[in-house]
Amino acid sequence: MLPRRRGMRLSSGEPRRNHEHHNDGSAGPDRGRSAVIEIQNVSTSFPSKDGRFTAVDDVTLTVERGRIQGIIGFSGAGKSTLLRNINLLERPTSGRVLVDGVDLTALSEPELRSSRHGIGMIFQHFNLLNNLTAQENVELSLKFAGVGKAERRRRAADALAIVDLADKAASYPAKLSGGQKQRVAIARALATEPKVLLCDEPTSAVDPRTTASVLQYLADVNAEFGITIVVVTHEMNVIRAIADNVAVMEDGRIVEQFDLAELERPGFHPATSIGRYLVSDAIELNRPHRSAAPAGPATKGLIHA
């Protein structure tokens, strides 16, 4: 159960880099190092006009308890499909997915729905209902889980307080900024008291400053509650800021995996070309040498304006 934290503010500075705190191999206080997510030889394919399209191709990945796992790749790499395989929102064509030792692929639909209560999810575009207040949006997943009205209200209020939105409980999504909407989505995921939090491109719909804030809340939730987090993104700066380990995907496969602490080691370079490209912060273009143009009449007008 999440601790009651009304009125307590989590830090809101620059995102800390969790991997810097785990270089000694420790997991932090009260955290085991057992696997909480085990993806075993998972493949997921879909019908297409050209036959079967394989989005995830024989992937095996283990995520240790209390860690923040990054999954990165270009569009179409299969990373979001793999994330949805973890809670079976997208059922794998083959392979097994174990969460906290339970094989989700072997469960009946009622058993699967019950197990999903321990797996929170944050979506790219918030997925808030516009006709419900922030409080009601957070309560919704609890209502579906059969939680009583009084308990729903208490847990939703606690979750909103964790992300510093207690004063926005009665506000509708149209009155919230993009960052506030994503924080409501984080609160909604936390309200079910999950062991695992899945984040599908959680910062792609917000500006850079808000990105830092959203990542800080996720990092603090991981540190305070020991919730294991999986973050899917195409932005390496997001992975650098928050992840302990990163899996690089290409064409449905994991082609490389390394701890983020390795980036600080002299001489370390990702083994694959896509890994090296994603780690690079620079945008390189093939274009003629750029030089300052002489100021013409129109340019002069702009300079003096």
Side-chain angles (χ1 to χ4, degrees):
M1 185 171 187
L2 295 178
R4 299 290 297 278
R5 292 159 55 94
R6 278 199 179 94
M8 181 175 180
R9 291 185 59 83
L10 300 184
S11 58
S12 57
E14 290 297 314
R16 70 171 173 274
R17 297 168 68 171
N18 282 1
H19 48 275
E20 292 183 354
H21 298 282
H22 301 317
N23 290 352
D24 61 355
S26 67
D30 302 321
R31 293 189 189 178
R33 299 304 277 174
S34 59
V36 69
I37 299 172
E38 298 174 80
I39 300 170
Q40 301 177 353
N41 303 109
V42 161
S43 294
T44 306
S45 59
F46 306 99
S48 71
K49 62 180 181 180
D50 299 319
R52 300 290 295 181
F53 168 72
T54 300
V56 175
D57 188 4
D58 193 26
V59 167
T60 294
L61 178 66
T62 298
V63 182
E64 294 177 336
R65 190 178 308 276
R67 298 266 278 178
I68 300 180
Q69 176 69 51
I71 301 175
I72 194 168
F74 298 127
S75 296
K79 55 191 185 298
S80 289
T81 301
L82 181 63
L83 189 78
R84 289 169 173 265
N85 285 158
I86 294 174
N87 59 3
L88 266 62
L89 283 183
E90 203 70 68
R91 184 174 283 273
T93 307
S94 61
R96 303 169 70 214
V97 179
L98 284 74
V99 175
D100 210 22
V102 177
D103 184 355
L104 301 188
T105 59
L107 299 181
S108 66
E109 282 302 317
E111 290 170 332
L112 179 58
R113 284 195 295 271
S114 179
S115 289
R116 281 184 179 141
H117 297 158
I119 308 173
M121 190 160 188
I122 299 170
F123 299 90
Q124 179 177 354
H125 296 294
F126 320 132
N127 284 19
L128 303 180
L129 297 182
N130 290 327
N131 63 328
L132 299 182
T133 65
Q135 171 93 14
E136 291 166 341
N137 266 285
V138 175
E139 286 186 31
L140 198 57
S141 58
L142 297 172
K143 184 176 182 179
F144 290 149
V147 177
K149 190 173 183 179
E151 178 67 4
R152 286 202 308 266
R153 287 181 174 175
R154 184 189 68 78
R155 283 165 60 175
D158 284 351
L160 285 170
I162 288 170
V163 295
D164 297 327
L165 285 179
D167 60 332
K168 300 292 184 182
S171 299
Y172 289 89
K175 298 294 185 180
L176 301 176
S177 68
Q180 288 170 334
K181 290 176 184 177
Q182 193 59 290
R183 283 154 59 191
V184 172
I186 294 172
R188 179 181 58 195
L190 293 178
T192 60
E193 299 169 352
K195 297 175 182 175
V196 170
L197 188 57
L198 307 179
C199 305
D200 190 6
E201 301 275 7
T203 60
S204 63
V206 297
D207 60 63
R209 180 179 294 181
T210 305
T211 290
S213 174
V214 168
L215 293 180
Q216 187 64 64
Y217 281 106
L218 292 175
D220 287 340
V221 162
N222 168 258
E224 292 289 335
F225 306 124
I227 296 173
T228 304
I229 298 177
V230 182
V231 178
V232 159
T233 183
H234 62 275
E235 300 172 281
M236 190 62 199
N237 63 325
V238 169
I239 295 298
R240 282 177 178 272
I242 195 172
D244 297 307
N245 182 277
V246 61
V248 181
M249 289 195 71
E250 184 176 25
D251 295 332
R253 289 178 170 268
I254 291 179
V255 296
E256 185 169 12
Q257 185 176 0
F258 54 87
D259 282 343
L260 268 292
E262 287 293 290
L263 293 178
E264 311 300 328
R265 182 167 60 82
F268 173 78
H269 299 286
T272 62
S273 59
I274 185 172
R276 290 190 293 272
Y277 185 92
L278 289 168
V279 165
S280 172
D281 289 326
I283 297 175
E284 297 181 2
L285 304 180
N286 182 15
R287 58 171 299 189
H289 179 68
R290 181 165 30 195
S291 60
T299 309
K300 288 178 180 177
L302 289 173
I303 291 173
H304 293 301

